[in-house]
């Protein structure tokens, strides 16, 4: 029984190989060539891979932008704080005070007698 099934299957396969082109013209929607099928699969896989890569690149770009924004705001805060300290320190300095002491008869500068 198995031998008969094998012979029939072999004849069907052999007939399909011999008359493949004719089958394609008779049943064009059901018969597709292997290269076309592989090309469609590769195209589909390429599209999915491209989408995945684009998604990852967008996520990385957003993370980099977020980190850059945080660093920029930190730098701006440090600059503003330094400016405030410099302005606060500079306003407490009186450049005329040492001259007033000298003119008022205070200690003479070092090196003068």
């Amino acid at each position: 029984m198995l031998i008969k099934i094998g012979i029939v299957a072999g004849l069907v396969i052999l007939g399909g190989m011999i008359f493949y082109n004719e089958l394609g013209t008779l049943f064009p929607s059901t018969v597709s060539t292997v290269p076309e099928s592989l090309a469609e699969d590769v195209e589909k896989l390429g599209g999915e891979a491209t989408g995945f890569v684009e998604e990852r690149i967008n996520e990385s770009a957003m993370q980099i932008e977020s980190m850059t924004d945080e660093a920029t705001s930190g730098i701006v805060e440090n600059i503003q704080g330094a400016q405030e300290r410099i302005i606060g320190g500079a306003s407490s300095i009186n450049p005329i005070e040492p001259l007033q002491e000298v003119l008022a008869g205070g200690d003479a500068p070092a090196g003068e007698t």
Side-chain angles (χ1 to χ4, degrees):
M1 180 70 181
L2 289 176
I3 295 174
K4 291 179 183 179
I5 293 174
I7 292 173
V8 170
L11 289 174
V12 169
I13 291 173
L14 184 62
M17 293 171 73
I18 293 173
F19 299 107
Y20 183 75
N21 289 335
E22 286 75 14
L23 289 174
T25 56
L26 291 175
F27 307 106
S29 62
T30 58
V31 178
S32 65
T33 61
V34 173
E36 289 175 359
S37 176
L38 287 175
E40 290 173 5
D41 290 344
V42 168
E43 184 178 333
K44 181 179 176 184
L45 180 63
E48 290 176 1
T50 302
F52 179 75
V53 169
E54 287 177 355
E55 183 180 321
R56 289 294 187 175
I57 289 173
N58 288 339
E59 288 176 4
S60 297
M62 293 179 83
Q63 288 176 349
I64 290 171
E65 183 180 355
S66 171
M67 292 176 7
T68 303
D69 289 345
E70 290 175 9
T72 302
S73 65
I75 290 171
V76 168
E77 289 174 6
N78 286 335
I79 289 173
Q80 289 174 345
Q83 287 175 342
E84 290 172 2
R85 287 191 296 276
I86 290 171
I87 291 171
S91 65
S92 66
I93 296 175
N94 186 359
I96 299 176
E97 185 177 334
L99 293 175
Q100 288 175 343
E101 288 179 10
V102 170
L103 294 175
D107 295 333
E112 293 185 22
T113 53

